[in-house]
Amino acid sequence: MSTDVTAQVQIRLSTRQSKYRIGTDESVLLMVPTHLRRFNLSEIVNHLLNNNGKKVPFDFIIDGKFIRTSLQEYLDKYNISAENTVDVEYVLSSVPPKPTGAMDHEDWVSCIAGPALTSSIATSCYDGNVRLWSLTGSCIAVLKKHERSVKSVAWLSGNADHSRLISGGEDQSIYGWDYDSKSNKTRVSFECVGHKGSVDGLAVNQSRTQFASASFDSTIKLWNVDSTDEESSQANETMGSKRKRLEDAVITRKIPVLSMEAHVGPVTSICFSKTEGSDNTLYSGGSDHTVRIWDMEKGRNLHSMGCEKVILALDHSKNSGLIVTGHTDNFIRLWDPRDQTGLVVKMKLTSHKNWVPAVTWSPTSPYTLASGGYDSTIKVWDIRSTTPLHTLSAVNEGKKKVLALAWEDGLLFSGGEEGKVRVHDMQTE
């Protein structure tokens, strides 16, 4: 490795963040010493931006990898000649996530619904219960109805006073719940019938008028949130004063609006499109190695995208339009559902040492996502690089699987085999 402090290399500096672009050109050419590190390069960019006050920290990317050494060490490691012009992209630096708390459960945590809609957190657990939590980490309600493990949970609607949510489980049932925060009472408002296998995923459309369910029985079903003539009511159901105080409660039994089959094998995850005006577009992933795009208005499978391994988790970004998936080969894959010319994987990210059953996009950035793995880690990624920004330990000790992630209101929630939901403050944006 060269130790010549006078050695220089020509770099072409550029950024995709227009706020921090130097001048009017797309890039700027500079001759810089090869012994410079990230901090030194950040100083140069701040100087060129005329940031004379508070300095803005930047990270730097060469060939899809963040620079974590000197330029010379990086060039030597990847066999890049200093005689060539090196393209260097700079991005706003990411502050490491800060742990802020934990919520204890009786068993594995399978799913988390964040607080953006209702200012409360909902979790589903392998002990058969759904729990509601305050932002301070206090358990405010335990919802008991499922007869086996609860695998999925999602908010339907709500505010600080009253909220509605749904849960699905291994008992093949989906239940709708009402929660009144003023009286601290919950009740089952409806039951969805029709699945023949575990309900492993739930998703609510943007208008909050319909929701979809994914099941081990290879089907996706669509349900109306509000009752229709196609749905019938049950008589009052007594649940016991200690289990639920449901006075004069009437449970509606819903039947699906649509039932769709295309996956060969279990449907593992679903997500409605988060692009504005795409209320009827649904994405699904399954054990048949495919991501499928659905028109939920017509109940049609529009397109299918294939890969090499089982899809365990899926999320769609409202900011970039991309889909991220987690897999049994430890990879994370990125897809562009708008590209109908060649529905293939656009990018692969690898760093996890075991299966990746949880992925979630940042709600504010088109580049940032988080993944959780069976290797007990959570990784935060900037997709302008193929190396993770941060790797977080998801447990205090031992090896415990991460099964669930949610990223809302500047907070990243994680849960899994440890029986805790951990909260990280994402100070990055």
Side-chain angles (χ1 to χ4, degrees):
M1 181 178 70
S2 172
T3 57
D4 184 0
V5 295
T6 64
Q8 292 188 320
V9 62
Q10 181 169 262
I11 63 172
R12 182 182 291 109
L13 271 177
S14 65
T15 184
R16 296 181 229 184
Q17 297 171 287
S18 58
K19 179 180 178 180
Y20 299 109
R21 187 165 292 152
I22 300 168
T24 57
D25 295 331
E26 293 294 322
S27 61
V28 59
L29 289 172
L30 296 171
M31 287 294 295
V32 298
T34 58
H35 69 268
L36 297 188
R37 293 176 176 267
R38 184 197 68 82
F39 174 79
N40 309 115
L41 293 170
S42 190
E43 286 283 310
I44 292 173
V45 173
N46 274 278
H47 174 72
L48 294 172
L49 289 171
N50 295 316
N51 286 341
N52 298 319
K54 184 179 180 181
K55 298 291 195 259
V56 178
F58 291 101
D59 273 311
F60 298 84
I61 302 168
I62 299 176
D63 289 341
K65 297 179 178 64
F66 283 103
I67 301 174
R68 295 294 184 246
T69 62
S70 71
L71 282 172
Q72 187 63 62
E73 290 174 279
Y74 187 95
L75 297 177
D76 289 342
K77 181 177 180 179
Y78 294 102
N79 198 28
I80 301 172
S81 173
E83 295 180 0
N84 298 327
T85 299
V86 179
D87 288 306
V88 180
E89 180 179 1
Y90 60 97
V91 299
L92 192 63
S93 186
S94 170
V95 179
K98 179 183 177 182
T100 62
M103 308 168 197
D104 291 330
H105 291 67
E106 298 295 326
D107 209 330
W108 295 15
V109 177
S110 58
C111 187
I112 305 165
L117 186 66
T118 65
S119 298
S120 300
I121 301 107
T123 59
S124 58
C125 188
Y126 275 61
D127 66 359
N129 296 325
V130 175
R131 290 173 174 82
L132 305 184
W133 304 82
S134 70
L135 287 173
T136 59
S138 299
C139 185
I140 54 180
V142 180
L143 285 55
K144 298 176 180 284
K145 181 63 176 175
H146 287 279
E147 297 178 356
R148 298 180 64 184
S149 298
V150 189
K151 300 297 292 296
S152 50
V153 65
W155 294 109
L156 288 176
S157 60
N159 52 47
D161 297 326
H162 180 266
S163 52
R164 304 176 71 190
L165 63 153
I166 47 176
S167 60
E170 288 185 349
D171 58 3
Q172 305 177 13
S173 296
I174 301 169
Y175 291 107
W177 305 84
D178 286 344
Y179 173 66
D180 188 315
S181 60
K182 290 185 176 179
S183 63
N184 198 33
K185 288 184 178 180
T186 61
R187 74 179 186 92
V188 178
S189 56
F190 61 80
E191 178 185 5
C192 300
V193 295
H195 278 299
K196 305 297 183 183
S198 174
V199 180
D200 296 329
L202 294 168
V204 184
N205 67 0
Q206 293 181 53
S207 62
R208 308 234 161 234
T209 57
Q210 294 182 315
F211 61 92
S213 54
S215 176
F216 196 81
D217 65 9
S218 305
T219 70
I220 298 169
K221 297 187 187 297
L222 183 68
W223 316 81
N224 286 326
V225 171
D226 295 324
S227 300
T228 70
D229 293 338
E230 296 175 335
E231 298 157 355
S232 59
S233 296
Q234 287 186 169
N236 291 359
E237 181 172 319
T238 303
M239 297 179 64
S241 59
K242 290 186 178 180
R243 284 176 58 86
K244 285 289 157 209
R245 304 188 66 83
L246 305 180
E247 293 145 8
D248 300 322
V250 175
I251 300 177
T252 299
R253 176 164 287 173
K254 292 180 179 288
I255 59 174
V257 178
L258 291 171
S259 184
M260 295 160 293
E261 298 182 28
H263 284 283
V264 180
V267 187
T268 56
S269 52
I270 53 173
C271 178
F272 272 99
S273 170
K274 297 175 185 177
T275 302
E276 188 174 352
S278 300
D279 212 35
N280 294 314
T281 301
L282 183 82
Y283 306 115
S284 65
S287 62
D288 58 359
H289 306 182
T290 66
V291 172
R292 296 179 184 266
I293 306 173
W294 300 84
D295 179 343
M296 300 303 284
E297 187 173 22
K298 299 178 180 178
R300 292 175 51 216
N301 180 197
L302 299 177
H303 304 284
S304 297
M305 305 180 283
C307 62
E308 301 89 346
K309 291 294 180 178
V310 169
I311 294 158
L312 299 174
L314 174 149
D315 193 26
H316 179 249
S317 170
K318 68 177 182 180
N319 299 297
S320 68
L322 298 177
I323 296 170
V324 59
T325 51
H327 298 262
T328 55
D329 61 359
N330 314 342
F331 277 93
I332 297 158
R333 289 173 171 84
L334 300 180
W335 317 70
D336 190 344
R338 299 160 297 188
D339 183 359
Q340 305 300 327
T341 58
L343 297 176
V344 295
V345 175
K346 299 300 180 184
M347 187 177 186
K348 290 183 183 180
L349 302 173
T350 176
S351 182
H352 284 287
K353 305 303 181 185
N354 209 326
W355 291 10
V356 185
V359 291
T360 181
W361 283 102
S362 160
T364 58
S365 169
Y367 304 114
T368 315
L369 63 90
S371 59
Y374 278 17
D375 58 4
S376 306
T377 68
I378 301 163
K379 295 181 184 289
V380 181
W381 304 81
D382 183 313
I383 62 172
R384 290 167 291 194
S385 171
T386 56
T387 55
L389 278 172
H390 309 290
T391 297
L392 314 174
S393 176
V395 298
N396 282 338
E397 58 183 21
K399 290 291 184 182
K400 304 287 186 180
K401 301 179 182 73
V402 179
L403 301 176
L405 292 174
W407 192 339
E408 293 185 11
D409 287 356
L411 299 172
L412 179 64
F413 302 87
S414 65
E417 186 180 359
E418 185 188 25
K420 293 179 184 290
V421 169
R422 296 191 177 273
V423 187
H424 285 84
D425 184 359
M426 303 300 289
Q427 310 168 63
T428 56
E429 297 158 10

PDB file of all heavy atoms in Angstrom, residues 159-186:
ATOM      1  N   ASN A 159     -57.622   7.914  15.439  1.00  0.00           N
ATOM      2  CA  ASN A 159     -57.030   9.137  15.957  1.00  0.00           C
ATOM      3  C   ASN A 159     -56.690   8.878  17.422  1.00  0.00           C
ATOM      4  O   ASN A 159     -56.685   7.735  17.876  1.00  0.00           O
ATOM      5  CB  ASN A 159     -57.996  10.318  15.784  1.00  0.00           C
ATOM      6  CG  ASN A 159     -59.391  10.014  16.346  1.00  0.00           C
ATOM      7  OD1 ASN A 159     -59.529   9.505  17.453  1.00  0.00           O
ATOM      8  ND2 ASN A 159     -60.416  10.322  15.554  1.00  0.00           N
ATOM      9  N   ALA A 160     -56.426   9.944  18.158  1.00  0.00           N
ATOM     10  CA  ALA A 160     -55.996   9.777  19.546  1.00  0.00           C
ATOM     11  C   ALA A 160     -57.104   9.234  20.435  1.00  0.00           C
ATOM     12  O   ALA A 160     -56.839   8.682  21.507  1.00  0.00           O
ATOM     13  CB  ALA A 160     -55.495  11.103  20.091  1.00  0.00           C
ATOM     14  N   ASP A 161     -58.384   9.374  20.006  1.00  0.00           N
ATOM     15  CA  ASP A 161     -59.511   8.956  20.847  1.00  0.00           C
ATOM     16  C   ASP A 161     -60.072   7.585  20.490  1.00  0.00           C
ATOM     17  O   ASP A 161     -60.457   6.807  21.371  1.00  0.00           O
ATOM     18  CB  ASP A 161     -60.641   9.992  20.766  1.00  0.00           C
ATOM     19  CG  ASP A 161     -60.219  11.343  21.292  1.00  0.00           C
ATOM     20  OD1 ASP A 161     -59.407  11.376  22.243  1.00  0.00           O
ATOM     21  OD2 ASP A 161     -60.690  12.360  20.750  1.00  0.00           O
ATOM     22  N   HIS A 162     -60.146   7.286  19.215  1.00  0.00           N
ATOM     23  CA  HIS A 162     -60.779   6.036  18.783  1.00  0.00           C
ATOM     24  C   HIS A 162     -60.032   5.485  17.576  1.00  0.00           C
ATOM     25  O   HIS A 162     -59.662   6.227  16.671  1.00  0.00           O
ATOM     26  CB  HIS A 162     -62.249   6.267  18.421  1.00  0.00           C
ATOM     27  CG  HIS A 162     -62.948   5.032  17.966  1.00  0.00           C
ATOM     28  ND1 HIS A 162     -63.065   4.692  16.625  1.00  0.00           N
ATOM     29  CD2 HIS A 162     -63.543   4.022  18.660  1.00  0.00           C
ATOM     30  CE1 HIS A 162     -63.721   3.540  16.535  1.00  0.00           C
ATOM     31  NE2 HIS A 162     -64.016   3.118  17.742  1.00  0.00           N
ATOM     32  N   SER A 163     -59.813   4.189  17.574  1.00  0.00           N
ATOM     33  CA  SER A 163     -59.082   3.580  16.465  1.00  0.00           C
ATOM     34  C   SER A 163     -59.650   2.214  16.130  1.00  0.00           C
ATOM     35  O   SER A 163     -60.316   1.572  16.951  1.00  0.00           O
ATOM     36  CB  SER A 163     -57.585   3.467  16.795  1.00  0.00           C
ATOM     37  OG  SER A 163     -57.384   2.838  18.031  1.00  0.00           O
ATOM     38  N   ARG A 164     -59.372   1.784  14.896  1.00  0.00           N
ATOM     39  CA  ARG A 164     -59.802   0.469  14.411  1.00  0.00           C
ATOM     40  C   ARG A 164     -58.588  -0.242  13.833  1.00  0.00           C
ATOM     41  O   ARG A 164     -57.753   0.369  13.161  1.00  0.00           O
ATOM     42  CB  ARG A 164     -60.886   0.614  13.340  1.00  0.00           C
ATOM     43  CG  ARG A 164     -62.100   1.407  13.773  1.00  0.00           C
ATOM     44  CD  ARG A 164     -63.079   1.576  12.624  1.00  0.00           C
ATOM     45  NE  ARG A 164     -63.750   0.326  12.298  1.00  0.00           N
ATOM     46  CZ  ARG A 164     -64.514   0.155  11.215  1.00  0.00           C
ATOM     47  NH1 ARG A 164     -64.640   1.136  10.327  1.00  0.00           N
ATOM     48  NH2 ARG A 164     -65.106  -0.998  10.993  1.00  0.00           N
ATOM     49  N   LEU A 165     -58.511  -1.546  14.089  1.00  0.00           N
ATOM     50  CA  LEU A 165     -57.404  -2.335  13.570  1.00  0.00           C
ATOM     51  C   LEU A 165     -57.870  -3.738  13.232  1.00  0.00           C
ATOM     52  O   LEU A 165     -58.988  -4.141  13.593  1.00  0.00           O
ATOM     53  CB  LEU A 165     -56.246  -2.390  14.570  1.00  0.00           C
ATOM     54  CG  LEU A 165     -56.469  -3.061  15.925  1.00  0.00           C
ATOM     55  CD1 LEU A 165     -55.147  -3.593  16.471  1.00  0.00           C
ATOM     56  CD2 LEU A 165     -57.056  -2.072  16.936  1.00  0.00           C
ATOM     57  N   ILE A 166     -57.013  -4.465  12.515  1.00  0.00           N
ATOM     58  CA  ILE A 166     -57.296  -5.845  12.133  1.00  0.00           C
ATOM     59  C   ILE A 166     -56.116  -6.721  12.516  1.00  0.00           C
ATOM     60  O   ILE A 166     -54.980  -6.269  12.595  1.00  0.00           O
ATOM     61  CB  ILE A 166     -57.581  -5.982  10.623  1.00  0.00           C
ATOM     62  CG1 ILE A 166     -56.510  -5.229   9.796  1.00  0.00           C
ATOM     63  CG2 ILE A 166     -58.977  -5.511  10.277  1.00  0.00           C
ATOM     64  CD1 ILE A 166     -56.645  -5.377   8.297  1.00  0.00           C
ATOM     65  N   SER A 167     -56.423  -7.996  12.760  1.00  0.00           N
ATOM     66  CA  SER A 167     -55.375  -8.968  13.075  1.00  0.00           C
ATOM     67  C   SER A 167     -55.706 -10.289  12.406  1.00  0.00           C
ATOM     68  O   SER A 167     -56.872 -10.652  12.247  1.00  0.00           O
ATOM     69  CB  SER A 167     -55.244  -9.160  14.597  1.00  0.00           C
ATOM     70  OG  SER A 167     -56.468  -9.621  15.153  1.00  0.00           O
ATOM     71  N   GLY A 168     -54.661 -11.009  12.007  1.00  0.00           N
ATOM     72  CA  GLY A 168     -54.842 -12.321  11.387  1.00  0.00           C
ATOM     73  C   GLY A 168     -53.891 -13.323  12.001  1.00  0.00           C
ATOM     74  O   GLY A 168     -52.800 -12.960  12.463  1.00  0.00           O
ATOM     75  N   GLY A 169     -54.288 -14.597  12.013  1.00  0.00           N
ATOM     76  CA  GLY A 169     -53.468 -15.566  12.715  1.00  0.00           C
ATOM     77  C   GLY A 169     -53.489 -16.969  12.151  1.00  0.00           C
ATOM     78  O   GLY A 169     -54.103 -17.251  11.116  1.00  0.00           O
ATOM     79  N   GLU A 170     -52.804 -17.845  12.872  1.00  0.00           N
ATOM     80  CA  GLU A 170     -52.713 -19.252  12.478  1.00  0.00           C
ATOM     81  C   GLU A 170     -54.042 -19.977  12.614  1.00  0.00           C
ATOM     82  O   GLU A 170     -54.200 -21.083  12.094  1.00  0.00           O
ATOM     83  CB  GLU A 170     -51.642 -19.959  13.313  1.00  0.00           C
ATOM     84  CG  GLU A 170     -50.213 -19.559  12.950  1.00  0.00           C
ATOM     85  CD  GLU A 170     -49.177 -20.367  13.712  1.00  0.00           C
ATOM     86  OE1 GLU A 170     -49.561 -21.078  14.671  1.00  0.00           O
ATOM     87  OE2 GLU A 170     -47.983 -20.287  13.357  1.00  0.00           O
ATOM     88  N   ASP A 171     -55.005 -19.391  13.317  1.00  0.00           N
ATOM     89  CA  ASP A 171     -56.336 -19.996  13.447  1.00  0.00           C
ATOM     90  C   ASP A 171     -57.204 -19.746  12.222  1.00  0.00           C
ATOM     91  O   ASP A 171     -58.403 -20.037  12.237  1.00  0.00           O
ATOM     92  CB  ASP A 171     -57.042 -19.490  14.709  1.00  0.00           C
ATOM     93  CG  ASP A 171     -57.184 -17.972  14.742  1.00  0.00           C
ATOM     94  OD1 ASP A 171     -56.778 -17.317  13.759  1.00  0.00           O
ATOM     95  OD2 ASP A 171     -57.682 -17.449  15.750  1.00  0.00           O
ATOM     96  N   GLN A 172     -56.604 -19.177  11.137  1.00  0.00           N
ATOM     97  CA  GLN A 172     -57.246 -18.918   9.854  1.00  0.00           C
ATOM     98  C   GLN A 172     -58.263 -17.779   9.915  1.00  0.00           C
ATOM     99  O   GLN A 172     -59.023 -17.559   8.972  1.00  0.00           O
ATOM    100  CB  GLN A 172     -57.923 -20.197   9.312  1.00  0.00           C
ATOM    101  CG  GLN A 172     -56.969 -21.376   9.217  1.00  0.00           C
ATOM    102  CD  GLN A 172     -57.652 -22.657   8.763  1.00  0.00           C
ATOM    103  OE1 GLN A 172     -58.792 -22.638   8.294  1.00  0.00           O
ATOM    104  NE2 GLN A 172     -56.956 -23.772   8.897  1.00  0.00           N
ATOM    105  N   SER A 173     -58.267 -17.039  11.022  1.00  0.00           N
ATOM    106  CA  SER A 173     -59.240 -15.976  11.230  1.00  0.00           C
ATOM    107  C   SER A 173     -58.609 -14.596  11.092  1.00  0.00           C
ATOM    108  O   SER A 173     -57.424 -14.408  11.327  1.00  0.00           O
ATOM    109  CB  SER A 173     -59.871 -16.092  12.622  1.00  0.00           C
ATOM    110  OG  SER A 173     -60.607 -17.288  12.752  1.00  0.00           O
ATOM    111  N   ILE A 174     -59.451 -13.639  10.701  1.00  0.00           N
ATOM    112  CA  ILE A 174     -59.124 -12.218  10.745  1.00  0.00           C
ATOM    113  C   ILE A 174     -60.191 -11.555  11.609  1.00  0.00           C
ATOM    114  O   ILE A 174     -61.392 -11.758  11.398  1.00  0.00           O
ATOM    115  CB  ILE A 174     -59.138 -11.589   9.337  1.00  0.00           C
ATOM    116  CG1 ILE A 174     -58.140 -12.290   8.412  1.00  0.00           C
ATOM    117  CG2 ILE A 174     -58.831 -10.092   9.415  1.00  0.00           C
ATOM    118  CD1 ILE A 174     -58.298 -11.908   6.950  1.00  0.00           C
ATOM    119  N   TYR A 175     -59.746 -10.760  12.566  1.00  0.00           N
ATOM    120  CA  TYR A 175     -60.681 -10.036  13.426  1.00  0.00           C
ATOM    121  C   TYR A 175     -60.469  -8.535  13.273  1.00  0.00           C
ATOM    122  O   TYR A 175     -59.335  -8.053  13.152  1.00  0.00           O
ATOM    123  CB  TYR A 175     -60.502 -10.429  14.896  1.00  0.00           C
ATOM    124  CG  TYR A 175     -60.946 -11.835  15.195  1.00  0.00           C
ATOM    125  CD1 TYR A 175     -60.022 -12.842  15.434  1.00  0.00           C
ATOM    126  CD2 TYR A 175     -62.304 -12.168  15.219  1.00  0.00           C
ATOM    127  CE1 TYR A 175     -60.426 -14.148  15.696  1.00  0.00           C
ATOM    128  CE2 TYR A 175     -62.717 -13.472  15.470  1.00  0.00           C
ATOM    129  CZ  TYR A 175     -61.776 -14.447  15.714  1.00  0.00           C
ATOM    130  OH  TYR A 175     -62.183 -15.740  15.962  1.00  0.00           O
ATOM    131  N   GLY A 176     -61.593  -7.805  13.274  1.00  0.00           N
ATOM    132  CA  GLY A 176     -61.550  -6.361  13.327  1.00  0.00           C
ATOM    133  C   GLY A 176     -61.823  -5.909  14.742  1.00  0.00           C
ATOM    134  O   GLY A 176     -62.677  -6.476  15.449  1.00  0.00           O
ATOM    135  N   TRP A 177     -61.096  -4.880  15.182  1.00  0.00           N
ATOM    136  CA  TRP A 177     -61.181  -4.418  16.562  1.00  0.00           C
ATOM    137  C   TRP A 177     -61.476  -2.918  16.600  1.00  0.00           C
ATOM    138  O   TRP A 177     -60.975  -2.156  15.779  1.00  0.00           O
ATOM    139  CB  TRP A 177     -59.862  -4.652  17.292  1.00  0.00           C
ATOM    140  CG  TRP A 177     -59.349  -6.062  17.274  1.00  0.00           C
ATOM    141  CD1 TRP A 177     -58.612  -6.656  16.282  1.00  0.00           C
ATOM    142  CD2 TRP A 177     -59.517  -7.052  18.289  1.00  0.00           C
ATOM    143  NE1 TRP A 177     -58.313  -7.953  16.627  1.00  0.00           N
ATOM    144  CE2 TRP A 177     -58.845  -8.224  17.855  1.00  0.00           C
ATOM    145  CE3 TRP A 177     -60.153  -7.055  19.534  1.00  0.00           C
ATOM    146  CZ2 TRP A 177     -58.806  -9.387  18.604  1.00  0.00           C
ATOM    147  CZ3 TRP A 177     -60.121  -8.212  20.290  1.00  0.00           C
ATOM    148  CH2 TRP A 177     -59.453  -9.368  19.830  1.00  0.00           C
ATOM    149  N   ASP A 178     -62.274  -2.513  17.592  1.00  0.00           N
ATOM    150  CA  ASP A 178     -62.457  -1.096  17.917  1.00  0.00           C
ATOM    151  C   ASP A 178     -61.820  -0.833  19.267  1.00  0.00           C
ATOM    152  O   ASP A 178     -61.992  -1.624  20.212  1.00  0.00           O
ATOM    153  CB  ASP A 178     -63.945  -0.732  17.990  1.00  0.00           C
ATOM    154  CG  ASP A 178     -64.589  -0.659  16.617  1.00  0.00           C
ATOM    155  OD1 ASP A 178     -63.851  -0.583  15.622  1.00  0.00           O
ATOM    156  OD2 ASP A 178     -65.825  -0.681  16.550  1.00  0.00           O
ATOM    157  N   TYR A 179     -61.100   0.283  19.359  1.00  0.00           N
ATOM    158  CA  TYR A 179     -60.494   0.662  20.639  1.00  0.00           C
ATOM    159  C   TYR A 179     -60.847   2.102  20.963  1.00  0.00           C
ATOM    160  O   TYR A 179     -60.606   3.012  20.167  1.00  0.00           O
ATOM    161  CB  TYR A 179     -58.968   0.494  20.599  1.00  0.00           C
ATOM    162  CG  TYR A 179     -58.281   1.040  21.833  1.00  0.00           C
ATOM    163  CD1 TYR A 179     -58.488   0.444  23.074  1.00  0.00           C
ATOM    164  CD2 TYR A 179     -57.451   2.156  21.757  1.00  0.00           C
ATOM    165  CE1 TYR A 179     -57.875   0.950  24.219  1.00  0.00           C
ATOM    166  CE2 TYR A 179     -56.823   2.654  22.892  1.00  0.00           C
ATOM    167  CZ  TYR A 179     -57.050   2.054  24.115  1.00  0.00           C
ATOM    168  OH  TYR A 179     -56.453   2.554  25.243  1.00  0.00           O
ATOM    169  N   ASP A 180     -61.444   2.298  22.135  1.00  0.00           N
ATOM    170  CA  ASP A 180     -61.790   3.625  22.633  1.00  0.00           C
ATOM    171  C   ASP A 180     -60.788   3.985  23.723  1.00  0.00           C
ATOM    172  O   ASP A 180     -60.802   3.384  24.806  1.00  0.00           O
ATOM    173  CB  ASP A 180     -63.219   3.626  23.186  1.00  0.00           C
ATOM    174  CG  ASP A 180     -63.705   5.026  23.532  1.00  0.00           C
ATOM    175  OD1 ASP A 180     -62.925   5.770  24.164  1.00  0.00           O
ATOM    176  OD2 ASP A 180     -64.848   5.370  23.198  1.00  0.00           O
ATOM    177  N   SER A 181     -59.922   4.952  23.440  1.00  0.00           N
ATOM    178  CA  SER A 181     -58.860   5.275  24.394  1.00  0.00           C
ATOM    179  C   SER A 181     -59.386   5.991  25.632  1.00  0.00           C
ATOM    180  O   SER A 181     -58.796   5.891  26.711  1.00  0.00           O
ATOM    181  CB  SER A 181     -57.789   6.137  23.712  1.00  0.00           C
ATOM    182  OG  SER A 181     -58.343   7.339  23.238  1.00  0.00           O
ATOM    183  N   LYS A 182     -60.516   6.712  25.501  1.00  0.00           N
ATOM    184  CA  LYS A 182     -61.052   7.434  26.655  1.00  0.00           C
ATOM    185  C   LYS A 182     -61.571   6.481  27.722  1.00  0.00           C
ATOM    186  O   LYS A 182     -61.322   6.652  28.919  1.00  0.00           O
ATOM    187  CB  LYS A 182     -62.158   8.386  26.208  1.00  0.00           C
ATOM    188  CG  LYS A 182     -61.650   9.579  25.400  1.00  0.00           C
ATOM    189  CD  LYS A 182     -62.775  10.543  25.088  1.00  0.00           C
ATOM    190  CE  LYS A 182     -62.231  11.776  24.377  1.00  0.00           C
ATOM    191  NZ  LYS A 182     -63.305  12.747  24.038  1.00  0.00           N
ATOM    192  N   SER A 183     -62.284   5.440  27.280  1.00  0.00           N
ATOM    193  CA  SER A 183     -62.813   4.452  28.232  1.00  0.00           C
ATOM    194  C   SER A 183     -61.885   3.263  28.393  1.00  0.00           C
ATOM    195  O   SER A 183     -62.110   2.412  29.251  1.00  0.00           O
ATOM    196  CB  SER A 183     -64.189   3.971  27.766  1.00  0.00           C
ATOM    197  OG  SER A 183     -64.082   3.307  26.504  1.00  0.00           O
ATOM    198  N   ASN A 184     -60.840   3.205  27.542  1.00  0.00           N
ATOM    199  CA  ASN A 184     -59.897   2.086  27.510  1.00  0.00           C
ATOM    200  C   ASN A 184     -60.614   0.751  27.307  1.00  0.00           C
ATOM    201  O   ASN A 184     -60.290  -0.257  27.931  1.00  0.00           O
ATOM    202  CB  ASN A 184     -59.043   2.033  28.788  1.00  0.00           C
ATOM    203  CG  ASN A 184     -57.798   1.186  28.598  1.00  0.00           C
ATOM    204  OD1 ASN A 184     -57.232   1.132  27.515  1.00  0.00           O
ATOM    205  ND2 ASN A 184     -57.375   0.499  29.649  1.00  0.00           N
ATOM    206  N   LYS A 185     -61.619   0.761  26.405  1.00  0.00           N
ATOM    207  CA  LYS A 185     -62.369  -0.453  26.094  1.00  0.00           C
ATOM    208  C   LYS A 185     -62.097  -0.879  24.657  1.00  0.00           C
ATOM    209  O   LYS A 185     -61.923  -0.056  23.760  1.00  0.00           O
ATOM    210  CB  LYS A 185     -63.863  -0.221  26.283  1.00  0.00           C
ATOM    211  CG  LYS A 185     -64.291  -0.098  27.743  1.00  0.00           C
ATOM    212  CD  LYS A 185     -65.800   0.024  27.852  1.00  0.00           C
ATOM    213  CE  LYS A 185     -66.240   0.105  29.309  1.00  0.00           C
ATOM    214  NZ  LYS A 185     -67.721   0.224  29.423  1.00  0.00           N
ATOM    215  N   THR A 186     -62.071  -2.195  24.462  1.00  0.00           N
ATOM    216  CA  THR A 186     -61.912  -2.767  23.129  1.00  0.00           C
ATOM    217  C   THR A 186     -63.054  -3.729  22.853  1.00  0.00           C
ATOM    218  O   THR A 186     -63.642  -4.300  23.789  1.00  0.00           O
ATOM    219  CB  THR A 186     -60.580  -3.520  22.987  1.00  0.00           C
ATOM    220  OG1 THR A 186     -60.560  -4.599  23.938  1.00  0.00           O
ATOM    221  CG2 THR A 186     -59.393  -2.604  23.223  1.00  0.00           C
TER     222      THR A 186
END
